[in-house]
Amino acid sequence: MKIDIAQLEFIDIRLRKIAVEIERSTGLEFTLTSLYRMGDNGVHGQLPLRGIDLRIRDIAIGKVIEAAINEWWSYDSDRPDKKCAYLHGVDANLHLHLQVHPNTAVR
């Protein structure tokens, strides 16, 4: 990322930790494609911000990162079906959606 996301206090601390850790552990620099969305009723529309999207150009790399994040982090222990990372989109719209909840914790 060309921005120091760790300094953006309007982003939930858990979300910042996930984003910083995946860059550190992979050596990749991500492009943020979506942060706060005014009027959004989901994680992109809450403050502190609980959702961000990262551009992914390689589906295989994206799947590995998605699996690693979901192995390391639990979104909400009361809803184990929910995940912190979702890889989705097609072609130029392929991105990794990261999200957290107040109950998100390291496994």
Side-chain angles (χ1 to χ4, degrees):
M1 285 171 254
K2 299 283 185 191
I3 188 169
D4 185 359
I5 198 169
Q7 302 300 316
L8 300 179
E9 293 187 11
F10 71 92
I11 300 175
D12 185 284
I13 185 66
R14 292 164 290 246
L15 188 55
R16 286 186 275 154
K17 286 180 180 180
I18 292 169
V20 168
E21 178 58 24
I22 62 170
E23 277 201 341
R24 187 200 62 72
S25 65
T26 63
L28 299 173
E29 182 176 81
F30 292 95
T31 298
L32 289 162
T33 60
S34 184
L35 288 167
Y36 181 68
R37 299 179 193 158
M38 291 178 64
D40 186 296
N41 291 326
V43 294
H44 284 283
Q46 300 181 23
L47 291 175
L49 185 64
R50 292 185 17 218
I52 61 173
D53 293 340
L54 305 177
R55 178 173 292 137
I56 297 288
R57 293 291 189 216
D58 185 301
I59 195 165
I61 292 171
K63 286 181 179 181
V64 169
I65 295 169
E66 174 192 46
I69 290 169
N70 290 326
E71 183 178 321
W72 297 334
W73 291 85
S74 167
Y75 179 77
D76 179 3
S77 59
D78 293 335
R79 297 179 293 164
D81 56 310
K82 298 281 189 178
K83 305 294 181 195
C84 288
Y86 291 97
L87 180 68
H88 62 116
V90 180
D91 298 326
N93 189 39
L94 183 65
H95 65 278
L96 189 62
H97 171 76
L98 303 179
Q99 63 182 12
V100 295
H101 181 273
N103 294 339
T104 296
V106 175
R107 292 186 192 272

